[in-house]
Amino acid sequence: MPTATPQLLLLSNSRAADGTYLKWAREEIKAFLGDVRVTALFIPYAAVPGTESAYDAYAQRVRPVFGELGYNLTSLHQAVDPMQAVRTVAAIVIGGGNTFHLLARLYSAGLLEIIGRACACWNPVHRLERW
């Protein structure tokens, strides 16, 4: 059972007016994740058209931003064991796009519940308990 309030950073609109990806949110991301170099898990399943190449391209767009902020970023679609990937990361980043495809993919892979449980057990960056 979680012992603290889950911590979430919710963002909408990833592009600045000049087209820069996550430009306006970088300070908020850094403040939320802190100064410790952690690995974040990116979930690209809302990418359109929902293909492996679209997921690759989406992850390649997000990875440099997190790298510039001092964090590692792995993508769920490349994980050998997606459930273990969710259980072992310090943060989860879910990309926007087609929410229907995102949820369908998470449901079909059995990941929606485990992501919810992971979020409920986190304090930013540090796990409160293992489940």
Side-chain angles (χ1 to χ4, degrees), residues 23-131:
K23 179 179 182 178
W24 66 271
R26 293 176 188 210
E27 287 183 30
E28 287 83 359
I29 294 168
K30 186 76 174 170
F32 185 78
L33 293 177
D35 294 327
V36 177
R37 185 171 185 97
V38 299
T39 297
L41 179 66
F42 180 60
I43 300 177
Y45 296 147
V48 176
T51 61
E52 289 298 312
S53 62
Y55 301 153
D56 287 341
Y58 205 172
Q60 289 171 2
R61 186 174 346 133
V62 177
R63 190 171 286 117
V65 173
F66 279 78
E68 289 170 14
L69 294 172
Y71 309 114
N72 297 315
L73 188 99
T74 61
S75 187
L76 185 62
H77 81 286
Q78 297 170 327
V80 174
D81 183 345
M83 289 201 183
Q84 186 63 17
V86 171
R87 287 186 180 113
T88 59
V89 295
I92 294 175
V93 177
I94 301 175
N98 187 320
T99 306
F100 175 80
H101 286 285
L102 169 67
L103 286 173
R105 184 78 187 251
L106 293 175
Y107 274 123
S108 69
L111 291 169
L112 200 57
E113 182 179 343
I114 198 166
I115 290 169
R117 290 177 62 198
C119 292
C121 292
W122 280 331
N123 194 355
V125 182
H126 303 287
R127 298 257 181 199
L128 297 176
E129 62 182 72
R130 293 284 177 182
W131 32 267

